[in-house]
Amino acid sequence: MSLRISFSGEISAETTQRMKNFNKSLSHEIASVRRAAYFFLAPALIPIFVFFFVPALAAFVLSFTDFDIYSLSNIEYARFVGWRNYVQLFKDPLFWKAMTNTLYYVLVGGPLSIAASLGTALLVNSRLIRFKGLLRAIYFAPVVTTLVAVAVVWRFMYHPRFGLLNYALSFFGIAPIDWLGDPAWAMPAIILMSIWKNFGYNMIIFVAGLQNIPAQLYEAARIDGANAWEQFKSITLPMLAPTTVFVSIIAMIGNFQLFTEPYVMTQGGPVNSTLSIVLLMYQQGFRWWNLGYSAAIAFVLFGVILLGSLLQAKLQKRGEA
Amino acid sequence: MNATKKLSQRIETTQRMKNVFLSVVPPQAGFLSVGAILLTLSVACQSPSTSKTVIKFWAMGAEGEHVQKLMPEFYRRYPDLEVKIQGIPWTAAHEKLLTAYAGNSLPDICQLGNTWIPEFNLLNALENLDDWLASSTAIEHENYSPGIWETNVIDSSVFGIPWYVDTQLLFYRKDILAKAGYNHAPRTWDEWYEVSRKIKQLPGSQEKYAMLLPINEWRPFVITGLQNGSLLLKQNNRYGDFSGAQFSAAFTYLMKFYREQLAPVGITQVTNIYQGISEGFFAMYITGPWNIGEFQRRLPAALQDQWMTAPMPGPDANTPGVSLAGGSSLVLFKSSKKKTAAWKLIEYLSEAPPQLEFYKITGDLPAVREAWSDTAFTNNVYIQAFYRQLEHVVPTPMIPEWEQIAMKVQQYAEAASGEHLSVAEALQALDREVDLILEKRRWMLKWKK
């Protein structure tokens, strides 16, 4: 009622008082809403603090100690060793082997995976294709499948004598390849499997990016006489750039953390040809129980990923400028 | 004033939501539901047979799968005992045991690979079995191969009872060796090398090899080192002794097989050892007892009487040479509150009949000598070599770091086999890495004094 009166321009003293009271209670209310917000955020913030920041800090401290199996029996057997773990790590040929393997996976597997995602995204977004929903679901299915189950099936496919892949290759006169037993082929085999497993996820993101490109641009290009390739090169790719940056950074971070595929398929072999940084970290930490050393590996990996992400973001910015 | 209206509406909504929230979830509800869960749990945990003592037993791989089959007789003898067996895959066993140790939830009795005993003893997790053995009539250490028994002894105290044994020896093709003029397996290093050269010289053997020495295996290198009198480590296991004279000589001897094309370099050429030995791609291979069954299953019928097993050749006429004392032991954990009952289970599993039955189920070689007199062994020509070899086995250095060191041996053997490094360079680098691994141990030994 009072609101309608104030609207007419005649503000009574009573109304002013009520407004004041209202404002007062409003600021009170805002403070309590803020409190309530923290209260409702607490279930998320407390676990993040307890289960993320505290362990990360503990791991950082751990990386300057020689915490190992001896220390597990008696904490007095742990010593602060300064930078020794890091120095030792950079001298360890196995670390460089793992780093080379991981970079191989990131630099070869990453672009191939993104190309596969983009290609299928263009395909399922094309107006010429029918049953788009079904196709998207099919391409997305490997992403939601358990990797361990996938690995079992792929191990059959890679079997040197009875595998489907060698059977298919035999039609082209290619001699059987021992996919997982040959040091030269084990990493390509891992890459192939992980592309198949993961491309669907980025495909969905690319599809979303493609659908955000205004149709007028294509219409204008067609009127100007651009063919399909020119349209792709001059409209699709530049318009997808932000999506591509996002996808490639996320993919790179994920690829540096390569673990499950070699762990399930090859255990890092043959002859350490699929040993990744995270697998090395796992072996040092939980096989040999060298937790200090293993923590140092974790932080080196963290640094590498951080550098990689910054570099990628910078390159992208330069490209835009 | 539209804004004010909206705000008052929002406040009202918040209030209403609060009320709804409170009415849906009364403050006592939390306690009630927790209480309900606890109640359900306590009901569920009450096992129907409260009078029985339950022994928790962890076993790995095939043993974990099959040991249940030995239990009926045990239950017949001890009706008041119940054994709860948990199988653990070998690949996860080490992590699982350490996690259980850290979480104070170890079982009462466990199967432990005998190279793990020093590590768990160091953690002070294992029960000293000396007193248990002193008052036991069922287990006598004279009934075991000395080399195998020794893997369970630390500072002259016993911490495990051998359950089954395992060692490595020579599997070979009789027909190929016969063509090379040998109607028996090589007994000395000289014979071993000579027969290998002759096999390589056989017509059509240019693309074939005498022996398979996979570069992802440390055992042949460690075995020949031990045969030649090397202790692998020196000064109370505080430093590596791989560049020492004995290990160097043994390592050089095996490298000769790679250098002279008597053994293939790299594992790329051998994808399937059974196919490889069937085709005569190689004629000799050092491996363990599980391969007896595999050879019988996988080699073609025509070759079944053309292969044989033999104890390891030795560096001199004093044959056979030693091999590794492998296998698993049964241990009691210190934390167990049912040691008396668990010990009864160890005693039962160490008797000859269950040992023999277990061999028939799993193919694991019995640790108890008495079991070997059964026809199952005396009629099996392939097993005889293992029986002889088991009298000549020695343990690897009994320190927790051993497995890490073994991996390094493998790494440097691989580097030397591909001639990335000379023998001397490889062994010196190996010693440097081993010394680094043992740094902690040296510090601890000093600290304890």
Side-chain angles (χ1 to χ4, degrees):
Chain A
M1 288 293 261
S2 60
L3 290 172
R4 198 175 293 163
I5 297 162
S6 69
F7 203 52
S8 68
E10 299 163 41
I11 303 170
S12 67
E14 188 206 9
T15 309
T16 320
Q17 191 53 42
R18 284 181 66 176
M19 289 286 283
K20 269 184 190 161
N21 286 349
F22 183 78
N23 278 341
K24 211 174 180 182
S25 75
L26 189 69
S27 63
H28 201 73
E29 211 41 68
I30 287 172
S32 90
V33 162
R34 191 169 285 163
R35 260 204 308 279
Y38 282 119
F39 176 75
F40 281 106
L41 278 177
L45 287 180
I46 293 172
I48 285 177
F49 183 77
V50 173
F51 295 112
F52 182 77
F53 284 103
V54 172
L57 197 72
F60 189 65
V61 174
L62 204 62
S63 76
F64 294 98
T65 70
D66 67 346
F67 196 97
D68 58 5
I69 185 95
Y70 290 113
S71 322
L72 196 66
S73 68
N74 184 349
I75 193 72
E76 284 176 28
Y77 294 152
R79 295 171 289 175
F80 273 99
V81 293
W83 291 95
R84 197 183 71 186
N85 285 331
Y86 292 91
V87 173
Q88 205 171 312
L89 187 61
F90 288 117
K91 281 191 202 156
D92 186 350
L94 215 53
F95 169 76
W96 291 112
K97 176 84 185 164
M99 189 54 101
T100 317
N101 291 339
T102 309
L103 283 176
Y104 180 4
Y105 181 79
V106 170
L107 296 178
V108 176
L112 281 176
S113 167
I114 290 171
S117 302
L118 183 57
T120 42
L122 289 169
L123 200 70
V124 298
N125 203 42
S126 161
R127 258 173 292 163
L128 301 171
I129 300 281
R130 301 181 67 187
F131 309 116
K132 284 179 194 168
L134 179 71
L135 279 177
R136 277 176 215 169
I138 290 173
Y139 288 141
F140 196 68
V143 179
V144 289
T145 317
T146 320
L147 184 65
V148 176
V150 168
V152 170
V153 174
W154 276 79
R155 282 224 318 232
F156 278 121
M157 306 232 308
Y158 281 143
H159 194 282
R161 279 177 72 192
F162 311 112
L164 194 63
L165 204 57
N166 276 351
Y167 182 69
L169 288 177
S170 69
F171 287 112
F172 301 98
I174 296 172
I177 295 170
D178 184 9
W179 289 96
L180 297 172
D182 185 333
W185 283 107
M187 188 52 100
I190 296 271
I191 289 176
L192 186 63
M193 186 196 86
S194 79
I195 289 177
W196 177 85
K197 170 86 175 71
N198 297 320
F199 79 89
Y201 184 79
N202 290 332
M203 177 195 79
I204 295 292
I205 300 175
F206 274 127
V207 167
L210 285 172
Q211 287 173 352
N212 271 339
I213 301 175
Q216 301 95 295
L217 293 178
Y218 290 108
E219 278 166 23
R222 272 200 298 278
I223 291 167
D224 288 345
N227 63 25
W229 168 244
E230 283 165 343
Q231 285 179 38
F232 174 74
K233 203 177 62 177
S234 310
I235 299 174
T236 312
L237 273 188
M239 292 300 283
L240 271 184
T243 315
T244 315
V245 177
F246 172 76
V247 164
S248 55
I249 289 184
I250 294 295
M252 188 204 64
I253 292 174
N255 287 344
F256 264 114
Q257 297 177 26
L258 172 68
F259 171 73
T260 326
E261 288 89 349
Y263 179 71
V264 179
M265 302 275 281
T266 60
Q267 302 265 309
V271 217
N272 294 326
S273 60
T274 55
L275 183 76
S276 69
I277 291 283
V278 182
L279 190 56
L280 177 70
M281 181 170 86
Y282 173 82
Q283 285 181 354
Q284 283 294 337
F286 298 106
R287 193 160 172 203
W288 312 128
W289 221 250
N290 293 328
L291 285 175
Y293 194 63
S294 171
I297 299 179
F299 278 92
V300 170
L301 178 64
F302 169 74
V304 170
I305 292 178
L306 190 68
L307 271 179
S309 310
L310 290 176
L311 192 75
Q312 217 160 1
K314 199 154 207 176
L315 282 179
Q316 183 57 35
K317 258 192 197 141
R318 188 175 296 170
E320 274 170 8
Chain B
M1 287 293 123
N2 242 341
T4 335
K5 190 179 172 185
K6 263 187 196 161
L7 229 135
S8 67
Q9 261 176 357
R10 220 177 84 191
I11 291 163
E12 210 176 298
T13 319
T14 321
Q15 198 60 40
R16 212 165 38 221
M17 270 173 65
K18 256 186 210 165
N19 289 339
V20 168
F21 184 72
L22 286 178
S23 65
V24 169
V25 189
Q28 308 92 322
F31 299 103
L32 276 179
S33 59
V34 169
I37 291 167
L38 283 178
L39 198 73
T40 328
L41 278 178
S42 61
V43 168
C45 286
Q46 267 171 11
S47 71
S49 53
T50 36
S51 58
K52 280 190 181 177
T53 306
V54 179
I55 309 166
K56 276 196 266 174
F57 178 18
W58 287 3
M60 285 94 184
E63 290 78 41
E65 244 168 74
H66 296 296
V67 68
Q68 189 75 52
K69 294 175 189 158
L70 300 180
M71 287 304 131
E73 168 64 14
F74 183 71
Y75 291 149
R76 199 190 55 73
R77 274 192 237 171
Y78 304 104
D80 57 329
L81 297 184
E82 193 187 326
V83 182
K84 236 182 165 172
I85 295 160
Q86 186 174 345
I88 307 171
W90 271 112
T91 46
H94 194 249
E95 286 104 293
K96 169 116 180 148
L97 280 165
L98 283 175
T99 318
Y101 166 77
N104 209 4
S105 55
L106 286 167
D108 301 298
I109 158 175
C110 184
Q111 169 192 357
L112 215 56
N114 60 13
T115 50
W116 294 359
I117 288 178
E119 184 177 337
F120 284 88
N121 174 57
L122 177 108
L123 291 175
N124 205 14
L126 300 181
E127 172 79 358
N128 183 333
L129 299 178
D130 287 349
D131 292 341
W132 296 93
L133 278 169
S135 57
S136 168
T137 50
I139 301 173
E140 299 291 344
H141 91 261
E142 291 78 15
N143 209 353
Y144 295 84
S145 148
I148 295 290
W149 186 263
E150 210 186 305
T151 59
N152 298 280
V153 180
I154 297 167
D155 296 334
S156 61
S157 287
V158 180
F159 288 92
I161 305 296
W163 189 19
Y164 67 84
V165 294
D166 176 21
T167 191
Q168 310 256 314
L169 45 65
L170 210 57
F171 282 59
Y172 67 99
R173 279 276 298 269
K174 285 198 290 187
D175 52 340
I176 298 180
L177 264 71
K179 271 186 219 157
Y182 270 75
N183 58 7
H184 59 83
R187 288 168 298 207
T188 63
W189 282 12
D190 288 341
E191 285 188 1
W192 197 7
Y193 176 62
E194 197 195 73
V195 73
S196 298
R197 288 187 50 155
K198 285 190 174 156
I199 289 171
K200 187 75 186 180
Q201 285 158 11
L202 287 175
S205 289
Q206 280 319 300
E207 298 298 312
K208 291 180 177 179
Y209 299 89
M211 183 162 63
L212 179 65
L213 268 181
I215 50 164
N216 57 347
E217 254 296 347
W218 52 269
R219 287 182 180 81
F221 298 93
V222 169
I223 291 172
T224 48
L226 288 167
Q227 285 185 339
N228 209 26
S230 169
L231 296 174
L232 311 179
L233 307 177
K234 62 188 175 188
Q235 298 180 33
N236 189 18
N237 294 335
R238 283 156 73 231
Y239 293 93
D241 193 18
F242 293 101
S243 50
Q246 289 110 332
F247 192 87
S248 271
F251 196 77
T252 311
Y253 172 76
L254 276 191
M255 281 297 147
K256 212 156 56 166
F257 285 84
Y258 291 123
R259 302 271 194 270
E260 297 178 21
Q261 298 280 303
L262 305 176
V265 177
I267 54 170
T268 55
Q269 300 171 65
V270 186
T271 55
N272 179 329
I273 58 156
Y274 309 106
Q275 203 184 339
I277 200 152
S278 304
E279 290 165 357
F281 185 69
F282 55 90
M284 290 180 279
Y285 181 46
I286 300 168
T287 184
W290 68 88
N291 258 331
I292 293 179
E294 295 296 314
F295 271 51
Q296 282 170 333
R297 248 190 311 280
R298 297 194 187 200
L299 263 51
L303 284 178
Q304 278 306 337
D305 57 349
Q306 296 300 340
W307 66 276
M308 191 40 74
T309 53
M312 289 297 293
D316 44 41
N318 190 11
T319 59
V322 294
S323 189
L324 297 177
S328 280
S329 299
L330 295 168
V331 299
L332 288 183
F333 285 114
K334 240 179 200 170
S335 54
S336 166
K337 292 188 175 61
K338 297 159 189 161
K339 289 185 194 120
T340 319
W343 177 254
K344 284 190 182 123
L345 181 59
I346 293 188
E347 284 188 323
Y348 166 70
L349 290 174
S350 304
E351 286 171 16
Q355 288 251 313
L356 187 64
E357 200 186 331
F358 208 42
Y359 162 73
K360 286 176 182 162
I361 300 168
T362 61
D364 288 339
L365 300 180
V368 178
R369 276 187 184 137
E370 197 187 324
W372 287 79
S373 53
D374 189 86
T375 48
F377 296 103
T378 49
N379 288 345
N380 187 333
V381 285
Y382 305 114
I383 293 259
Q384 289 310 307
F386 280 95
Y387 189 63
R388 281 176 58 207
Q389 185 71 65
L390 281 164
E391 296 302 314
H392 297 87
V393 289
V394 288
T396 46
M398 292 178 58
I399 53 170
E401 293 91 346
W402 170 250
E403 280 194 54
Q404 265 185 87
I405 293 174
M407 291 295 132
K408 291 288 171 202
V409 172
Q410 180 184 313
Q411 199 180 319
Y412 281 95
E414 185 201 330
S417 75
E419 303 198 49
H420 299 302
L421 294 173
S422 74
V423 167
E425 281 167 350
L427 294 179
Q428 271 158 17
L430 175 57
D431 267 347
R432 270 199 302 277
E433 289 224 30
V434 170
D435 288 354
L436 214 59
I437 293 173
L438 292 172
E439 191 276 334
K440 188 68 175 267
R441 182 180 156 78
R442 292 196 295 276
W443 175 76
M444 299 240 327
L445 288 175
K446 223 193 271 173
W447 197 81
K448 273 184 181 169
K449 279 176 200 164

